[in-house]
Structures are given as C-alpha cells and as structure tokens.
C-alpha cells in the first residue's frame, strides 16, 4: 500500500474547497448531497469547513457492487429525502472515475429543477473518464491507480484510513478479507 495523498494535505485542500463553496454562495442555503458510502469522511470534513449555513442529504448510487470494475449502469439505491426544486445543490463525491455515476446523478437532479447544480469531488481520476462530466470543486487529480482510504474501499475495507493510498496489483489479487498493513 502506497500513500498517495497524506492526511494533512487532504485537510488543507478540504479547507480551501469549503471556503470557496462559501464564497460562491453569498445568498441562499446550499444543500450538500453526499453520495453514499464513499463520501462520508469527505462530507463530514467538508461541512466543518463551510463557514455559511448549509444543509445535507444523502443518496446511494451503486455501479461497482463488489467488483473493482464499473458496470457502467448506475442504480439509484436510496433517493433524497427532500425536494431540490429551486435549491443550490452540490453533489459531494469521493471520486469521479469513468463519470457514469456523476452523469446519472446530474441527469436525475437536473430534471427536478434545482436553481444551481455543482459538484465537489475529492479525487478526479481523469485518465479513466468515459463521460464528459463537469466538476466544480476538485480536491486532487490522481493517476489510474486503485485507491483506498478517506472513505474509499476495496471490497468494503480501508474506508477508515485518514489518507488516500494506492493498492498494488498483488494486493488487489490477494484475499480482500485478509488484514493488510494500515487496516484494522
Ligand atoms: C464509487 C464512487 C463514485 C463512483 C465513481 O462508488 O463513490 O460514486 O464509484 O465511479 P464512476 O465515475 O466510474 O461512475 P461505489 O459504487 O464504489 O460505491 P461506494 O461509494 O459505496 O464505495
């Protein structure tokens, strides 16, 4: 496991994004929509760094299931609990990979008439992009490596790590349930 982005660097960047979100929304109360489950740590840290009133909600869209390959067919597993008509909505993602999930969410939300729709993604794996989706707030661009930590998983492991790390092909081939350095 190779650390790609240290915890301190993530915290610094999340703070910057939070301030930018605040300055971009001088009026109104933005609604942050976290995409479960990978968003949870980014969402929690981002909220603490947005110094204006805002609300949160969550959706769940699954396209990877237990595989490391995107099926390319996102599925809405849990919808919003509120109406977004006229709202300033910010989708909060841990990672944009092929872009299929984000494209699906943008289409779904735009049909509901928000006043604005923006996207905040901690990680942008641009080399893998298949759909041309706009991202307003990007934490870090990353290479085409399988990454875990800070909310991201491999077979549901490693989400708790405070940093972003890349798994080697050998680690990806290994039994996912096995305990690996850095995981508890
Ligand atoms: C991940 C991630 C994004 C999506 C990005 O979710 O959180 O939602 O994949 O991939 P894409 O750009 O290729 O569509 P995942 O389905 O792994 O679920 P999780 O957040 O629960 O881990």
């Amino acid at each position: 496991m190779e650390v790609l982005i240290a915890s301190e660097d993530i915290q610094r960047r999340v703070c910057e994004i939070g301030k930018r979100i605040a300055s971009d929304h001088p009026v109104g109360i933005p609604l942050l929509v976290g995409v479960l489950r990978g968003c949870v740590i980014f969402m929690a840290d981002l909220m603490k760094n947005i110094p204006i009133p805002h609300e949160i909600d969550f959706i769940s869209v699954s396209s990877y299931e237990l595989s490391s390959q995107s099926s390319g067919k996102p599925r809405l597993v849990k919808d919003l609990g509120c109406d977004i008509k006229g709202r300033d909505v910010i989708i909060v993602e841990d990672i944009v990979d092929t872009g299929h999930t984000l494209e699906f969410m943008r289409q779904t939300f735009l049909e509901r008439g928000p006043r604005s729709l923006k996207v905040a993604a901690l990680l942008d794996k641009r080399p893998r992009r298949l759909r041309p989706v706009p991202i307003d707030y990007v934490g870090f661009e990353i290479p085409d490596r399988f990454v875990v930590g800070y909310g991201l998983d491999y077979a549901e492991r490693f989400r708790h790590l405070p940093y972003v790390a890349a798994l080697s092909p050998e680690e990806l081939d290994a039994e996912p349930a096995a305990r690996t350095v850095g995981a508890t």
Side-chain angles (χ1 to χ4, degrees):
M1 182 177 287
E2 176 194 347
V3 175
L4 287 188
I5 311 170
S7 173
E8 307 78 54
D9 294 330
I10 296 174
Q11 295 304 323
R12 201 176 305 120
R13 190 76 185 113
V14 171
C15 182
E16 290 170 2
I17 292 173
K19 286 181 184 155
R20 270 191 52 209
I21 288 175
S23 64
D24 288 350
H25 296 81
V27 294
I29 297 177
L31 173 70
L32 306 188
V33 175
V35 187
L36 295 170
R37 286 168 281 192
C39 75
V40 290
I41 299 181
F42 181 37
M43 181 74 145
D45 283 347
L46 189 57
M47 290 170 63
K48 291 182 278 186
N49 284 285
I50 300 177
I52 59 167
H54 58 277
E55 298 174 3
I56 62 166
D57 201 345
F58 294 92
I59 62 167
S60 182
V61 181
S62 182
S63 60
Y64 281 73
E65 303 294 330
L66 286 177
S67 155
S68 62
Q69 295 295 313
S70 170
S71 67
K73 290 179 190 156
R75 190 165 56 89
L76 193 57
V77 178
K78 177 204 170 302
D79 203 345
L80 289 170
C82 64
D83 185 5
I84 59 169
K85 190 172 173 56
R87 299 293 306 267
D88 294 308
V89 176
I90 303 169
I91 296 171
V92 177
E93 266 285 25
D94 53 339
I95 186 167
V96 179
D97 191 329
T98 64
H100 283 300
T101 307
L102 186 53
E103 181 178 63
F104 169 74
M105 285 185 295
R106 277 179 45 81
Q107 285 170 353
T108 303
F109 285 179
L110 285 172
E111 288 169 6
R112 302 179 186 186
R115 181 164 71 172
S116 66
L117 180 60
K118 293 194 174 79
V119 177
L122 181 77
L123 304 176
D124 181 358
K125 198 192 274 188
R126 200 169 290 183
R128 293 248 311 162
R129 195 65 36 80
L130 296 176
R131 308 303 305 169
V133 283
I135 309 176
D136 302 274
Y137 310 101
V138 175
F140 303 90
E141 288 187 24
I142 59 167
D144 185 9
R145 306 272 305 270
F146 194 97
V147 289
V148 296
Y150 202 73
L152 291 104
D153 74 305
Y154 173 50
E156 296 305 325
R157 301 291 163 129
F158 310 118
R159 292 193 195 273
H160 65 291
L161 301 175
Y163 48 82
V164 172
L167 294 183
S168 66
E170 295 74 31
E171 287 168 317
L172 287 170
D173 283 342
E175 167 58 51
R179 291 198 169 183
T180 308
V181 175
T184 53

